[in-house]
Amino acid sequence: MRTIIPAAILLIALLAVPPFLGLGWQNALVNLLIASLFALAFNLLSGQAGLLSFGHAAYFGVGAFATLHLMIAVEDGLPFPTPLLPLAGAGAGLAVGLVAGVFATKRSGVYFALVTLAIAELFHSLAPHLQGWFGGESGISAMRMPWGGFVFGSLLEVYYLTLGWVVLSILVLWAYTRTPFGRLTLALRDNEQRVRFLGYDAHAAKVVVFTISAMFSGVAGALLAISNETANYALFSAHVSAQVVLHTFVGGATIFLGPVIGAVVFTLFAYIVSDLTRSWLFYQGLIFVLVMLYAPIGIGGVIRHHLRHWRSIDWSRLAAPYALAGVGGAMIAGGVVFLTECVAILFGEEYAVAMRDAGDTLPPFEMAGMSWDPLGPASWLPPILLLSIGGLCLHRARDRIKPLWDAIEGGAAKEGTR
Amino acid sequence: MTDAPGNSPYSLRLSGVTKAFGSIPVIQDVDLDIRAGERHAVIGPNGAGKSTLFNLISGLFPLSGGDIRLHGRSIAGLSPHRINRLGLARSFQISNIFHRMSVFENLRIGVLARHGIRFGLFRPVDRMRRINDETDAILARVGLTARAHDLAGDLTYSEQRALEIGMTLTTGADVILLDEPTAGMSREETARAIDLIRTVSEGKTLLMVEHDMSVVFSLCDRVSVLVYGNILATDTPAAISANRAVQEAYLGEEADI
Ligand SMILES: Nc1ncnc2c1ncn2[C@@H]1O[C@H](COP(=O)(O)OP(=O)(O)OP(=O)(O)O)[C@@H](O)[C@H]1O
Ligand SMILES: [Mg+2]
C-alpha cells in the first residue's frame, strides 16, 4: 500500500498533465521516460548482477536502427501496428545482446567492462561505413505511420506511446526481481563462485541477464527512434554509454528505482540548464563526482536511508542543520557557477577578440547582465565570499548532523540485536 | 576395477590424482577410496594440500593427472556445477556465503537448484510453497530459524559456519565435503557443530578436513593423513593415532593434537 498509492498518483499525473504542457516540456518528458527505461535496463546488469558495462550504447543503438528499418518497411506497405514497433528494438537488442553477452561474460570486473566498451566501439566505428544497415554518416530516417485511428503525428501521441511501453517495461523488470532467476541475479553479484557450487551454470546465467538487459535497452532505443524518426551512428558513441552509467550511479544502483531518479534528474537538468550555459556537461560531471565522493549510494540510497529510519528521525532537531546545509550548498554552488562562467568567458573566443581590440589590457566582460572588471577585486569578492561562507555553513551543519544520525543509527542497531 | 555407475560401493574414488601449480607439485599420486555412507576425515599439517584436494574433487581446479570417480562415474574435467548436480556439495575453509542476502535466501538458492528451477522467470519465488517450506526445514535443521531474515553477512562466525553446512544440504547432494567446519570455534560451539554435522550427514557420505583429533574421534569412521601432498596412511582414528609414521610426520610435532 505504501508504494501503490504514490505510484498511482505519479501515474495519474503522468497521464493527465502533459496535454497542458508546451512542446518543449512534452519532448523533455519523452526523453526522460526513455532515459529512465535505459538506465533501469542497464542497472539490471550493473547493479543487480554486478556486471558494469561501459558499452550499453550498442544495444540502445541497435534497437533504434532496427525499429527505423521496420518503420521504413511499414512506409513501404508492411501492415504492422505502429504501437508495436518497439518489438523490433526488443528483438534486435536481444539478438545482439545474446551474441555480445556470450563473449563479454566470459570475463568479469575490469575485463568485462573493457569487452563491452570494445563491442560498442566496434559498432561506432563500423556504422558510418555500413550504408545499408546504418545509413552511413547521415544515418537513416523514417516516418511514423498512422494506425488504427491514431495518426501518431503529434508529440503528445508519441508521449503516450512511450509512457505505455516504459511503464510496462518497468513492471516487467520489477516482476523479474521477484522470480527465482531474479534472486539468482543478486546472488551472482554477491558471490559468483558459490553459485557454481550450488549447481548453477554461472556463465549461462550471466548470458541470460546480459541478454535481458540488452533487450530492454533495445526497447528504449526503439522509443527514441519512434520519437525522433531518425538515428545515426552517434547513438553508438561512448557518450551515450557513459550517460547511462552516470544516471544509474547518481540515482543509486542498489535501489530498484534509483536509476530512474538519476535519469529524471539529469534529463531535467539538461533540459533546463543546457539553454542557459554551454558548461552544462561540466556541471553534470561535477555532480557525478560529488555524489560518488560524498553519497556513493546515490540519491535513491539517501532517500531510502531516510525512509528506513523515518520513525526515529526527530525533524525538529534535524531541520535546522539540514536547512543550514542547504544554504551552504547553494552558496558553494553559486560560487562554483560564478567561477566556471567567468573562466568560460575569459578563455572564450569572443573575449580573445575583445582583448585584441582593446590593445594589451583586459577589458571588462559581461555576465548575468552586469559588467565585471577582470582585474578588480570587487569582481572576485562575490565568489570568494560565497565559497568561504558556504564552506563554513556546510562544516557547521555536518558537525550538528553527524551526532544526530549516529544516535538514530545507534538506536536502530540496538533494536536489531534485541 | 570398473564399477557400473550408480551401484559402486564407493562414493568417491581417487586414483593417481596429481596437481601441480606451475612446477610445484602440491598433490602427488593420491589414491583414496571413500565408501558409501562413511564419515571420513583428512588430517595433515598446514599446507599439506588438503584444501587443494577438495578443490580438485569439487571441480574448482583441473587435475594435472589421475582420475576421480563419483558414484563410479568419472568427474575429471567437469565444471563445479555439473559435479554438484551429480550429487556432491561442499563448504569452504573461509566462509563462502551470499553476504548481502538474507539467511533464508542463501539457502533457497540451493533448494531452487535442487528442484531444477534454475532459470525460473515466470513465477514469483515467494509463492513457491514447496520451495519455501523446504528452505524453512533446512533452516530449522541448522538452527538458524530465528535468523532467517537477517543478512548472512551479519551472522556470527559460528552461525555462518552453520549456514555453510546448511547450504551443502540444499542441493540434495549425498556426498558432502566440509573444509575445517569447526576451525576457530569455542569448545561449546565445536560440540554443537559436531552434533549438527553428525545429524545432517546421516545416510550420506561425509569427507571433512579437520585439525582437531577429538572431533575426528567423535565423528569419523576412518582418517587419511596427508603430508606434503602424499597420503601417509588411511585407517580408523584409533589406529591412526597409534601409527608410528604418522606420529613422527605429523602428530609428534603438534603436541596439542
Ligand atoms: N591456487 C594456488 N596457486 C598456487 N599455489 C597454491 C594454490 N592453492 C594452494 N597452493 C599451495 O598449495 C599448497 C597446499 O595448500 P592447501 O591450501 O591445499 O593446504 P591445506 O592443507 O589446506 O592447508 P591449511 O591447513 O593451511 O588449510 C600450499 O603450499 C599453497 O601455497
Ligand atoms: Mg586448507
Side-chain angles (χ1 to χ4, degrees), chain A residues 371-384:
Chain A
S371 180
W372 306 83
D373 173 9
L375 294 176
S379 308
W380 301 107
L381 202 60
I384 290 171

Side-chain angles (χ1 to χ4, degrees), chain B residues 19-22 24-27 42-55 61 93 179-180 209 211 226 229:
Chain B
K19 179 68 185 176
F21 292 109
I24 304 161
V26 175
I27 299 293
V42 176
I43 64 171
N46 290 98
K50 305 178 295 292
S51 295
T52 303
L53 197 62
F54 273 28
N55 291 338
F61 297 155
Q93 185 168 354
D179 196 347
E180 304 201 16
V209 173
H211 274 299
L226 191 70

Side-chain angles (χ1 to χ4, degrees), chain A residues 280-293:
Chain A
W280 70 278
L281 276 175
F282 169 77
Y283 294 127
Q284 189 182 301
L286 199 63
I287 294 173
F288 179 59
V289 170
L290 288 177
V291 169
M292 289 301 97
L293 280 178

Side-chain angles (χ1 to χ4, degrees), chain B residues 134-146:
Chain B
E134 240 174 76
T135 308
D136 279 330
I138 293 172
L139 261 177
R141 281 184 81 183
V142 296
L144 288 174
T145 303

Side-chain angles (χ1 to χ4, degrees), chain A residues 282-283 332-346 367 379-380 382-384 387:
Chain A
F282 169 77
Y283 294 127
I332 287 185
V336 169
V337 169
F338 189 105
L339 288 176
T340 309
E341 295 303 317
C342 285
V343 168
I345 290 172
L346 290 175
M367 190 173 70
S379 308
W380 301 107
I384 290 171
L387 287 177

Side-chain angles (χ1 to χ4, degrees), chain B residues 74-128:
Chain B
S74 174
I75 54 169
L78 294 188
S79 48
H81 69 270
R82 301 288 308 281
I83 295 174
N84 175 267
R85 288 184 208 172
L86 292 173
L88 183 140
R90 67 165 296 183
S91 76
F92 291 79
Q93 185 168 354
I94 296 164
S95 287
N96 203 344
I97 55 181
F98 304 110
H99 284 89
R100 286 184 286 173
M101 300 178 81
S102 75
V103 173
F104 182 81
E105 284 213 82
N106 266 264
L107 294 170
R108 190 167 62 182
I109 299 268
V111 175
L112 285 164
R114 171 202 201 140
H115 287 276
I117 314 175
R118 295 191 188 91
F119 285 26
L121 267 168
F122 300 102
R123 263 182 70 201
V125 68
D126 285 339
R127 289 211 204 119
M128 298 180 170

